[in-house]
Amino acid sequence: MEIQTYLSERRRMVDEALQTYSLAAEGPFARHIEAMRYSLFVGGKRIRPILCLAAGEAIDASGAATANLLPVACALECIHTYSLIHDDLPAMDDDALRRGKPTNHVLYGEAGAILAGDGLLTWAFDLLTDPCRSAITAERRLAIAHCIARAAGPLGMVGGQSLDIASEHSDISFDTLQTIHRSKTGALITCSIEAGAIGAGASGDQVAAMVQYGRQIGLAFQIVDDLLNVTSSTEQLGKAAGSDAAHGKATYPAFFGIEGTRARAADAVSQARDALAAFDGKADPLRAIADYIYSRTS
Ligand code: GRG
């Protein structure tokens, strides 16, 4: 199957599941839920949930893994969306445009946007732990919730964001840049794949190989993001181009130039593919997604 077809089919599945699981904007909390739904349904590539499903399908292609993993996939998108809402706030990157549309705080105010993010983060753990939503065993659900909480929290995405903000307008080392990338962006991407593998019943070795793959594509994803921030327009990205330089952020292009950065992204993708050596054709979508991440334009 063509990767574009695979991505759009899985994206449709995720969108439908998000519609099914999301709260309705009615009752006393209607405005708060509307703010959560606004950012969740305003667009987005759904790459983290798709990676979760693809990792599960690489282990078990029967269709059962996909169905069981949908709540996990949706939880990952809720956490990702919360992080974007908070990242756009005036106290952080202060962006007015995201996914080609006004950012959450522009429409719902700062307090509304903070709470929309809080609501999405907490709702994600409702989805992950609710036994009625999937047939994944309680033990595996616990392992999934733990790996996602670890990746999204102070030793992962939140820690990375905090280090990123503290490093603005200062000369940081390449090691620090890597720590920021691995934690701020890479951790949630890696745990999306790990969670998919665990949910589908992968062995310890299979999970370890998936984590290796995840680390490399997480790195490639962020390197390409750095590149697009320099080389693309705001219209292409649906968010402010050139914002890294405006915020005095250290990036791969600042360290290695455009061509050196491309070479490093290509190297990460090739290492990601190597990590999948022991998997059969069921892992082909994961291989193709690695290539897609390298060549993406938004
Ligand atoms: C506020 C706790 C907290 C964390 C924010 C992820 C993040 C941490 C900030 C986003 C800043 C940024 C632009 C990072 C680069 C990589 C990235 C996460 C890009 C956005 O993800 P996509 O391209 O977005 O998957 P869509 O809109 O397609 O979902």
Side-chain angles (χ1 to χ4, degrees), residues 43-48 77 80 82-87 92-93 98-99 152 157-158 161 164 184-185 221-222 225 239 296 298:
K45 296 181 290 294
R46 312 298 196 207
I47 195 75
R48 293 152 194 80
E77 188 64 17
H80 168 60
Y82 122 74
S83 81
L84 298 182
I85 295 173
H86 282 194
D87 185 62
M92 297 213 197
D93 268 7
R98 168 74 67 182
R99 294 171 166 175
M157 184 176 73
V158 175
Q161 175 79 349
D164 190 23
K184 186 180 91 166
T185 315
F221 188 90
Q222 180 62 62
D225 213 78
K239 61 183 179 183
R296 77 191 173 98
S298 69

Side-chain angles (χ1 to χ4, degrees), residues 36-278:
M36 289 166 61
R37 294 182 62 103
Y38 169 71
S39 290
L40 203 50
F41 293 112
V42 81
K45 296 181 290 294
R46 312 298 196 207
I47 195 75
R48 293 152 194 80
I50 294 173
L51 280 167
C52 175
L53 299 180
E57 289 162 10
I59 307 293
D60 171 2
S62 68
T66 314
N68 282 327
L69 282 169
L70 276 171
V72 179
C74 291
L76 288 160
E77 188 64 17
C78 288
I79 295 173
H80 168 60
T81 302
Y82 122 74
S83 81
L84 298 182
I85 295 173
H86 282 194
D87 185 62
D88 291 333
L89 286 166
M92 297 213 197
D93 268 7
D94 194 12
D95 277 315
L97 195 68
R98 168 74 67 182
R99 294 171 166 175
K101 296 278 170 24
T103 45
N104 198 289
H105 65 269
V106 169
L107 294 181
Y108 295 96
E110 277 187 63
I114 291 168
L115 291 168
D118 294 341
L120 284 165
L121 172 60
T122 318
W123 182 244
F125 285 90
D126 187 315
L127 287 177
L128 285 172
T129 51
D130 186 345
C132 304
R133 292 188 199 275
S134 101
I136 295 176
T137 63
E139 194 182 346
R140 283 186 195 149
R141 251 184 294 118
L142 184 63
I144 289 170
H146 183 237
C147 97
I148 294 176
R150 182 60 70 86
L155 301 178
M157 184 176 73
V158 175
Q161 175 79 349
S162 152
L163 184 57
D164 190 23
I165 288 174
S167 306
E168 284 180 6
H169 302 290
S170 61
D171 276 338
I172 59 165
S173 66
F174 178 58
D175 264 8
T176 303
L177 178 68
Q178 276 196 307
T179 303
I180 292 170
H181 281 3
R182 279 199 194 110
S183 46
K184 186 180 91 166
T185 315
L188 195 66
I189 289 179
T190 305
C191 86
S192 302
I193 295 146
E194 185 176 358
I198 294 170
S203 68
D205 283 352
Q206 286 175 319
V207 173
M210 289 282 183
V211 167
Q212 258 320 100
Y213 164 85
R215 287 198 178 129
Q216 293 302 327
I217 60 154
L219 179 62
F221 188 90
Q222 180 62 62
I223 298 177
V224 170
D225 213 78
D226 282 5
L227 206 50
L228 292 175
N229 200 274
V230 186
T231 58
S232 290
S233 66
T234 297
E235 291 69 37
Q236 279 170 310
L237 295 179
K239 61 183 179 183
S243 58
D244 288 341
H247 285 100
K249 286 193 195 239
T251 60
Y252 263 71
F255 274 98
F256 302 112
I258 303 287
E259 285 318 310
T261 299
R262 279 209 179 97
R264 278 169 171 79
D267 182 54
V269 165
S270 145
Q271 290 196 49
R273 283 176 149 273
D274 289 349
L276 297 177

